């Protein structure tokens, strides 16, 4: 999985992900989030339009990163999930916990 980090504001970062968020890549995803949060950006937008596959390990990584962000006084939002990712979020009811936005800009500007 590839992750590109964009600094949106002083306390917000957008993580643009592509590839597969699964057992193999979940650890690297968590490490990237920990570095971003440790660097002072606790508000995270995870852009998932380029993620063609996510399994339960990827789901666990998202929930763990949500906890990391909230412990630092921030939050984690999902932007533009692909169809497969959206289906996994709905089937697991995680879409009730992780707010989903149509794109990264909407997730950043509607913080509140």
């Amino acid at each position: 999985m590839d992750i590109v980090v964009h600094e949106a504001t002083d306390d917000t970062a957008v993580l643009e992900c592509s590839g597969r968020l699964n057992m193999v890549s979940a650890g690297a995803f968590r490490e990237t989030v920990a570095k971003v949060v440790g660097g002072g950006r606790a508000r995270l937008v995870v852009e998932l339009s380029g993620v063609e596959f996510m399994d339960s390990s990827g789901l666990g990584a998202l929930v763990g990163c949500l906890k990391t962000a909230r412990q630092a006084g921030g939050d984690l939002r999902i932007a533009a999930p692909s169809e497969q990712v959206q289906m996994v979020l709905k089937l697991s009811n995680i879409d009730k916990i992780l707010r989903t936005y149509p794109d990264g800009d909407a997730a950043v500007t509607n913080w509140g």
Side-chain angles (χ1 to χ4, degrees):
M1 183 168 97
D2 292 319
I3 305 168
V4 178
V5 179
H6 304 281
E7 297 171 354
T9 65
D10 287 345
D11 63 352
T12 307
V14 177
L15 285 74
E16 193 178 328
C17 304
S18 59
R20 300 168 67 86
L21 182 50
N22 57 14
M23 188 176 77
V24 175
S25 61
F29 177 74
R30 287 177 196 250
E31 285 176 28
T32 301
V33 167
K35 284 180 191 170
V36 171
V37 171
R41 287 183 168 77
R43 289 182 172 187
L44 306 173
V45 175
V46 181
E47 212 264 78
L48 297 174
S49 61
V51 174
E52 73 259 4
F53 177 80
M54 181 174 74
D55 65 6
S56 60
S57 297
L59 206 54
L62 285 174
V63 172
C65 291
L66 170 66
K67 185 177 177 184
T68 298
R70 286 188 175 167
Q71 285 175 336
D75 202 2
L76 183 143
R77 295 175 172 185
I78 304 295
S82 64
E83 272 187 52
Q84 193 272 340
V85 170
Q86 207 164 9
M87 184 181 68
V88 171
L89 292 170
K90 281 187 176 148
L91 288 173
S92 61
N93 280 327
I94 298 296
D95 62 336
K96 307 276 189 274
I97 299 166
L98 290 169
R99 282 188 247 164
T100 304
Y101 293 82
D103 57 51
D105 290 340
V108 170
T109 55
N110 290 324
W111 218 283

